[in-house]
């Protein structure tokens, strides 16, 4: 048995620190095993003052947020990745350890720790208490999911437990907010501390587990009965026949709802932008600034914001699937495919989150211990259909594919096209993984371990927070990256000035750039206007919509037409399919390139990835243009 | 090795988790995996001497969910076959 580095007994000197009041703590770390409800607690404590850390995903490592104490004092909370131990084997464990010991550059050493444990599985989760308490920071044990424990007839004596480990203990339900007062007291430094305890020196996992069991017994811990509903639901969701069928129905249902339910909302937002744009155009005197605002910014940025409902619906579904616990079952059902292409099960969770955005997905690969597996997962993550592709798909499908029923009205040609694009991205990812894993990134197998959480009803507040988060990210992108590109594009469309007037679009800098690109993209069925869109969409995929919106907005002939109608003049059906396939494969996202460079420690992998995905996009579009 | 559940339990000197059918329970004896992998399994509750119950599986029987130490953990067949078990005396309790 290897020496267990994390289960050091704590030196008596450090013990004295447990009892030191956090006093005026300014930074508190929240740590715990995966699935212990850390993030729910974090959201409960920070409320809506949470920072969105995954955009652009290149500066902020940990999720940090500010909690306001009852006396009005602000307190910085650091949400650390879920870990089972502090032995740095994977990068997220290394991050957690480094933050707690103050070795992480740019992060203040936390003055206190909230250790979040699942009270329904206390004996095992208590194992993490030993290494955390040994750090010598003032620590509170937050036993989460008190409501579950009670409903399933479990119990624990928190006072006995506190006396046993020499640290304060709170039994809470972060979801409902029950029992949170002691946590606030601890954070405010207004808590009476139990007497310090000498903890035993623990050498390995069995000893840690034995210690945890003894502590649990001293605290009269009674483990809850197994969750009856989880067993019942699993009998259905993991049924050999019904399981996969439900899996497919869920996927199709999500896709269909994204299309159908969002359409009226899209129309509403579109109308708002049209009306306000017209108001700007008619109210202000003609000037270059008015044109910039009305044609460039309003039409450009507005045509992207129209797709906010789709993106929010997507994240609503991801949130429901994740919070309910169904995602772990989906991962189980899909594992065989992953195994066949040589990927380990751990790659599945990052890949699933890549359906939202590749940047957090690439950060999530830190849980993969094996370096080669991790790089393979990073390289294929951008193939998964991210939320930035969704607006492009929605626009092109609505414009070029007539809606015809395939399975009565339940599944239409448009749904099939969208589903096909998701499948296409997934296939590109698994085939690339297979190619990588059987050549340059071959590696030994690491065991696949997946904890199946009990099913839980997602709460409205948690779903609401997610949507707010993602809505902010989407709008911020529209208001920063895309807005900036739109202004640059507008300038490029007006230069070189001809006697103080903008040249015809074709003779402008932007037009010339598009024309320069045209010979290369003509075989794909794209003209120079689409070419301009391809250039600007290098910044972020959905920028192509804004770009086309702006280009058409400046043209007298297309100014009044809707984006869909205008597009039909510029693209044949074959060209539209080519463009869809191009977007399915190409790596058009600065944020992703930056995060891949940082996570792989150089330009080699992002450069390779960009070239490979670009080549695949070109080839795929070339074929699609000829097929349709 | 693709022996079916019961035969392996009776005949093989060291049956593994793979040999458990749904609802079967056994005591974990040892983990035949490199140090780090074994540690990870132990942190999730797969400690020698612990009772493990086989649960549901993905279609085709792989991976399978195992109930251990109050949690449900899914393992692929290739991992489960490295976890040696000994048969528990008597019929397992229904949990």
């Amino acid at each position: 048995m290897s020496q267990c580095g994390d289960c050091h007994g704590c030196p008596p000197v450090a013990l004295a620190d447990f009892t030191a009041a956090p006093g005026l703590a300014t930074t508190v770390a929240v740590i715990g095993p995966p699935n212990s409800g850390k993030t729910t607690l974090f959201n409960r404590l920070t409320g809506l003052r949470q920072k969105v850390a995954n955009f652009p995903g290149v500066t902020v490592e940990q999720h940090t947020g500010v909690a306001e104490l009852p006396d009005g004092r602000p307190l910085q909370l650091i949400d650390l990745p879920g870990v089972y131990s502090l032995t740095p084997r994977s990068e997220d464990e290394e991050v957690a350890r480094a933050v707690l010991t103050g070795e992480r550059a740019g992060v203040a050493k936390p003055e206190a720790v909230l250790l979040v444990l699942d009270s329904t599985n206390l004996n095992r989760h208590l194992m993490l208490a030993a290494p955390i308490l040994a750090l010598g920071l003032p620590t509170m044990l937050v036993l989460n999911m008190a409501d579950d424990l009670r409903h399933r007839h479990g119990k624990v004596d928190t006072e006995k437990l506190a006396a046993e480990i020499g640290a304060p203990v709170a039994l809470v339900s972060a979801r409902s907010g029950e029992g949170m007062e002691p946590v606030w007291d601890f954070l405010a430094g207004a808590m009476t501390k139990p007497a310090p305890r000498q903890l035993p020196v623990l050498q390995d996992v069995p000893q840690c587990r034995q210690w945890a069991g003894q502590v649990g017994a001293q605290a009269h811990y009674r483990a809850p009965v197994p969750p009856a509903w989880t067993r019942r639901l699993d009998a259905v969701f993991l049924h050999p026949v019904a399981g996969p069928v439900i899996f497919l129905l869920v996927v199709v249902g999500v896709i269909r709802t994204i299309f159908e339910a969002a359409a009226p909302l899209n129309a509403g937002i579109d109308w708002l932008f049209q009306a306000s744009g017209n108001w700007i155009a008619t109210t202000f005197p003609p000037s270059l600034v008015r044109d910039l605002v009305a044609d460039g910014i309003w039409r450009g940025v507005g045509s992207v914001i129209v797709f906010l409902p789709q993106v929010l619906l997507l994240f609503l579904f991801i949130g429901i699937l994740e919070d309910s616990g169904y995602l772990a079952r989906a991962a189980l059902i899909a594992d065989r495919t992953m195994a066949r292409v040589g990927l380990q099960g751990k790659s599945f969770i990052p890949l699933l989150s890549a359906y939202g955005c590749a940047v957090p997905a690439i950060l999530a690969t830190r849980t993969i211990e094996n370096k080669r597996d991790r790089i393979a997962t990073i390289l294929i993550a951008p193939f998964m259909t991210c939320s930035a592709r969704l607006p492009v798909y929605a626009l092109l499908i609505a414009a070029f594919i007539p809606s015809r029923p395939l399975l009565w009205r339940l599944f239409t040609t448009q749904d099939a096209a969208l589903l096909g694009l998701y499948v296409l991205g997934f296939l590109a990812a698994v085939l690339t993984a297979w190619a990588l894993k059987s050549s340059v990134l071959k590696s030994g197998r690491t065991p696949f371990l997946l904890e199946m959480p009990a099913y839980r009803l997602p709460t409205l507040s948690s779903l609401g927070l997610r949507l707010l988060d993602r809505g902010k990210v989407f709008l911020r992108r529209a208001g920063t990256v895309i807005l900036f590109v739109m202004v640059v594009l507008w300038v490029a469309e007006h230069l070189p000035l001809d006697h103080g007037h903008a040249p015809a679009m074709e003779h402008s800098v932007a037009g010339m750039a598009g024309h320069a690109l045209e010979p290369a993209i003509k075989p794909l069925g794209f003209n120079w206007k689409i070419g301009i869109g391809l250039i600007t969409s290098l910044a972020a995929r959905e920028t192509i919509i804004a770009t086309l919106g702006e280009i058409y907005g400046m043209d007298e002939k297309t100014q009044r037409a809707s984006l869909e109608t205008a597009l039909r003049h510029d693209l044949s059906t074959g060209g539209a399919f080519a463009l869809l396939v191009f977007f399915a494969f190409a790596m058009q996202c600065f944020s992703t390139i930056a995060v891949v460079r940082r996570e792989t420690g150089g330009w080699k992998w992002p450069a390779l990835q960009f070239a490979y995905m670009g080549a695949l996009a070109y080839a795929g579009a070339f074929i699609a243009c000829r097929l349709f | 090795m693709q022996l079916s559940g019961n035969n392996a339990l009776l005949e093989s000197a060291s049956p593994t988790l793979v040999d458990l059918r749904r609802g079967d329970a056994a005591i974990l004896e040892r983990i035949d995996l490199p140090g780090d992998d074994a540690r990870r399994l132990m942190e999730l509750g797969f400690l020698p001497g612990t009772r493990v119950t086989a649960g549901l599986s993905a279609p085709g029987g792989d991976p399978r969910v195992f109930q251990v130490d109050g949690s449900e953990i899914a393992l692929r067949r290739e991992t489960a076959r490295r976890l040696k078990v000994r048969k528990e005396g008597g019929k397992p309790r229904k949990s």
Side-chain angles (χ1 to χ4, degrees), chain A residues 121 124 209 445 450 452, chain B residues 40 69 71-72 74 76 78:
Chain A
N121 199 350
R124 185 157 73 71
R209 179 61 184 81
R445 296 230 165 158
L450 186 65
M452 297 280 129
Chain B
R40 178 64 85 208
D69 202 1
S71 322
E72 308 216 326
R76 277 187 188 165
E78 64 194 28

Side-chain angles (χ1 to χ4, degrees), chain A residues 1-2 4 6 84-85 87 89-90 93 121 124 127 205-206 209 231 234-235 238 240 244 332-333 335-336 338-339 343-346 369 445-452, chain B residues 22 33 35-48 50 56-65 67-79 95:
Chain A
M1 191 79 45
S2 60
C4 149
D6 55 285
Y84 290 111
S85 75
T87 330
R89 249 167 314 165
S90 60
E93 286 174 340
N121 199 350
R124 185 157 73 71
M127 292 204 293
V205 185
R209 179 61 184 81
R231 295 280 157 84
D234 269 345
L238 293 179
L332 193 71
I333 291 174
D335 180 65
R336 272 224 150 157
M338 304 295 286
L343 276 176
Q344 51 161 321
K346 271 209 172 166
E369 295 103 348
R445 296 230 165 158
T446 35
F448 163 74
L449 303 166
L450 186 65
E451 209 174 336
M452 297 280 129
Chain B
R22 191 179 156 199
L33 281 168
D36 268 1
D37 295 343
R39 261 195 65 106
R40 178 64 85 208
L41 279 161
M42 289 196 281
E43 281 164 7
L44 283 163
F46 289 98
L47 284 163
T50 315
L56 292 155
S57 71
D62 184 27
R64 185 173 289 282
V65 180
Q67 288 145 23
V68 61
D69 202 1
S71 322
E72 308 216 326
I73 317 281
L75 299 179
R76 277 187 188 165
R77 181 178 275 275
E78 64 194 28
T79 308
S95 51

Side-chain angles (χ1 to χ4, degrees), chain A residues 97-115:
Chain A
R97 197 197 55 81
V99 167
L100 289 176
T101 52
E103 287 165 29
R104 185 97 188 153
V107 183
K109 183 177 194 269
E111 283 124 346
V113 176
L114 288 179
L115 173 59

